[in-house]
Amino acid sequence: MEKIVIEGGNRLEGEVIISGAKNSVLPLMASTILTSGVNSFTNVPDLDDVRTMSKLLVMLGAKVEYDSGNLEIDSTAINNWIAPYELVRTMRASVLVLGPLTARFGKTRVSFPGGCAIGERPIDQHLKGLELLGSKIIIEEGYIETKAKKLTGSIIPFDISTVTGTENMMLASVLAQGETILLNAACEPEVVDLANALNKMGANISGAGTDIITIKGVSKLKPIKNYEVMPDRIESGTLMVAAVLLSGDLLLKNCIFEHNGAVIGKLIEVGAEISKVSDGVRVKGTDKFKSIDFTTLPYPGFPTDMQAQLMTLMSVSKGLSIISETIFPQRYLHAGELRRMGAEIKLVGNSAVVRGVKHLSGAPIMASDLRASASLVLAGLIANGRTDISRVYHLDRGYDRLDKKLEQVGAKIWRDKE
Ligand code: EPU
């Protein structure tokens, strides 16, 4: 196993190219189940989660090839509808095959994902949606079984805003008979990316990006060619925080300013200078930043996937910060590790109170989930001395060589054997 080692304190300056979005490419990969033929995608990030989704598609009968950002999925021979526990437990996004497999085969058997490190993550809304589309749902031996002769369009009112729930229902209903209307749909840019791709495949989806999405069923989808995955707004946000923390000056190429509105707004409040430039976003830090309060919310609110990274920034900001986590109330595993580095953090229910300290000090620490590991990398960058972060496989699930990108712009960061 590998660990990441960081000698803190180096200023960051230069350009970073933002990779394709993890949370966009995973549903895009699942969408190929609805086609028969060779699909291709560009700007595909090099991630463990992409490898896991590839394994799952191969297990279903697809042929998958990845080469430097280009991904080809031949879905012609998909003939299996079982997503086993071994794969689903390593990546919850595997549940995205539930909708398309039911649409293609009228049945599926997908392992129930269960809880995970960031807290309880039910999928009741996915199941309710499939039932409304006419599928039977049976839960047996830890698996969800769906059965439907033909899915039929329906009104699906989500009780809460769910990203993969919305995506799963789009994937399930594009080939259904008649019209489906998703109410209280998630508005995340990744949902829009999926709708755009499905429309290119021949689907008829309107309203993506708003909370009402209408899907008029079509009889067939054709494979998609060279679809470019949108840039990762969470990688962008993480690097923005790095620039602010290290009083740096970073040009984030390909970063879409509008996708990061809530994060940019908060970083400006902290004291950063952020501007939209022709090829991305430029972020300049100052040597004094102040504490702010923030609450995680569905898009366009402040993303839960940036909560841990901003907590690291608040750990060394001037003043007191109150963070409220409304999406995953227990997503605070990083707080304990940040405390080991000298941060003053108190957890109260789903809130964290962070009193900024003058400096963090390097320590051996352990990553617990994807975004928590990013927050620890950021902490290592600002800490005095050396930080050793173990279990970095969490980072590799969802960041495309974050350590290499940071090294390129001046960080002293490298990998070693644990
Ligand atoms: N929820 C339910 N029932 C459902 C579905 C969701 O109660 O059937 C609840 C969840 O427990 C949570 C809220 O609804 O409280 C929102 O969860 P959502 O379904 O939107 O999360 P998700 O689709 O499972 C995606 C991202 C996550 C990201 C969340 C929130 C993917 C593959 N994953 O998860 O990304 O945190 O949306 O924005 O798109 C990450 O990248 O680190 C990550 C965890």
Side-chain angles (χ1 to χ4, degrees):
M1 259 202 277
E2 282 185 324
K3 65 176 178 181
I4 284 183
V5 186
I6 306 170
E7 292 275 2
N10 279 21
R11 185 168 182 271
L12 304 182
E13 189 168 353
E15 288 179 12
V16 183
I17 300 175
I18 299 303
S19 299
K22 166 181 90 76
N23 289 345
S24 186
V25 74
L26 298 175
L28 288 171
M29 291 174 78
S31 75
T32 62
I33 295 172
L34 297 167
T35 67
S36 180
V38 180
N39 296 270
S40 57
F41 300 93
T42 62
N43 200 32
V44 175
D46 189 3
L47 306 175
D48 282 351
D49 274 9
V50 169
R51 282 180 274 281
T52 306
M53 187 58 105
S54 301
K55 262 191 218 158
L56 178 51
L57 290 174
V58 167
M59 200 169 260
L60 298 175
K63 282 192 195 132
V64 182
E65 270 180 44
Y66 178 79
D67 183 23
S68 11
N70 298 309
L71 180 71
E72 220 174 70
I73 302 173
D74 183 349
S75 58
T76 318
I78 292 184
N79 59 356
N80 179 9
W81 47 86
I82 300 171
Y85 176 62
E86 296 69 47
L87 283 178
V88 178
R89 91 191 148 100
T90 61
M91 190 185 69
R92 289 185 53 90
S94 313
V95 77
L96 283 163
V97 301
L98 196 59
L101 282 177
T102 310
R104 178 160 175 164
F105 295 107
K107 61 180 167 186
T108 181
R109 192 171 141 82
V110 175
S111 172
F112 209 97
C116 82
I118 63 176
E120 211 206 338
R121 294 176 72 180
I123 53 160
D124 56 302
Q125 299 301 306
H126 303 233
L127 302 184
K128 169 176 125 173
L130 280 171
E131 265 180 338
L132 286 168
L133 292 173
S135 173
K136 267 205 185 120
I137 308 278
I138 302 153
I139 295 173
E140 223 169 51
E141 298 166 344
Y143 279 76
I144 305 149
E145 286 182 16
T146 63
K147 276 197 181 86
K149 275 212 179 77
K150 170 92 185 139
L151 294 176
T152 359
S154 173
I155 293 174
I156 304 180
F158 290 111
D159 297 334
I160 36 101
S161 170
T162 158
V163 179
T164 49
T166 301
E167 291 164 348
N168 230 341
M169 287 317 104
M170 279 185 348
L171 291 164
S173 60
V174 274
L175 295 178
Q177 197 155 15
E179 185 177 88
T180 297
I181 303 177
L182 307 181
L183 300 175
N184 193 20
C187 304
E188 269 69 2
E190 293 77 11
V191 172
V192 180
D193 210 25
L194 176 64
N196 288 344
L198 287 169
N199 281 341
K200 284 217 161 84
M201 291 165 159
N204 186 346
I205 302 175
S206 56
T210 75
D211 57 1
I212 301 180
I213 300 179
T214 305
I215 303 128
K216 293 199 166 87
V218 295
S219 57
K220 203 170 179 281
L221 293 187
K222 57 181 189 296
I224 195 160
K225 301 292 173 202
N226 296 321
Y227 187 81
E228 187 179 341
V229 179
M230 63 168 251
D232 196 308
R233 62 194 169 97
I234 306 302
E235 185 197 21
S236 302
T238 304
L239 287 161
M240 284 181 199
V241 174
V244 179
L245 258 178
L246 277 300
S247 316
D249 183 352
L250 292 184
L251 170 63
L252 307 179
K253 283 193 152 180
N254 294 345
C255 165
I256 300 179
F257 185 89
E258 292 75 9
H259 286 178
N260 282 282
V263 172
I264 290 173
K266 283 296 161 189
L267 291 177
I268 289 174
E269 231 179 290
V270 166
E273 255 181 60
I274 304 187
S275 48
K276 182 175 168 175
V277 292
S278 61
D279 47 356
V281 173
R282 186 164 175 195
V283 188
K284 281 196 205 171
T286 57
D287 41 5
K288 283 196 199 92
F289 28 84
K290 66 168 205 261
S291 295
I292 49 145
D293 298 338
F294 65 96
T295 301
T296 63
L297 288 168
Y299 189 84
F302 190 92
T304 172
D305 291 345
M306 281 300 300
Q307 178 257 108
Q309 300 88 317
L310 213 69
M311 181 185 275
T312 298
L313 180 61
M314 292 300 100
S315 301
V316 289
S317 297
K318 199 167 167 8
L320 198 73
S321 160
I322 300 176
I323 302 173
S324 303
E325 175 56 73
T326 73
I327 309 291
F328 298 115
Q330 299 156 44
R331 196 177 199 177
Y332 283 125
L333 284 175
H334 43 284
E337 298 303 290
L338 290 173
R339 274 194 215 110
R340 299 194 66 242
M341 301 176 78
E344 286 187 21
I345 303 167
K346 204 176 251 178
L347 299 181
V348 190
N350 71 335
S351 294
V353 181
V354 187
R355 191 186 301 277
V357 295
K358 283 228 163 63
H359 62 85
L360 297 178
S361 62
I365 48 177
M366 201 190 282
S368 53
D369 78 78
L370 171 57
R371 307 304 171 188
S373 37
S375 77
L376 300 182
V377 168
L378 294 172
L381 293 177
I382 189 68
N384 292 342
R386 171 175 163 142
T387 298
D388 290 55
I389 308 172
S390 54
R391 302 197 176 170
V392 290
Y393 52 84
H394 289 293
L395 190 75
D396 296 333
R397 278 193 43 213
Y399 283 93
D400 188 346
R401 295 157 296 153
L402 182 67
D403 45 326
K404 283 275 164 243
K405 291 186 180 184
L406 287 166
E407 191 192 6
Q408 261 171 33
V409 290
K412 218 166 162 194
I413 180 169
W414 66 95
R415 287 188 185 227
D416 218 333
K417 289 253 170 311
E418 260 194 61

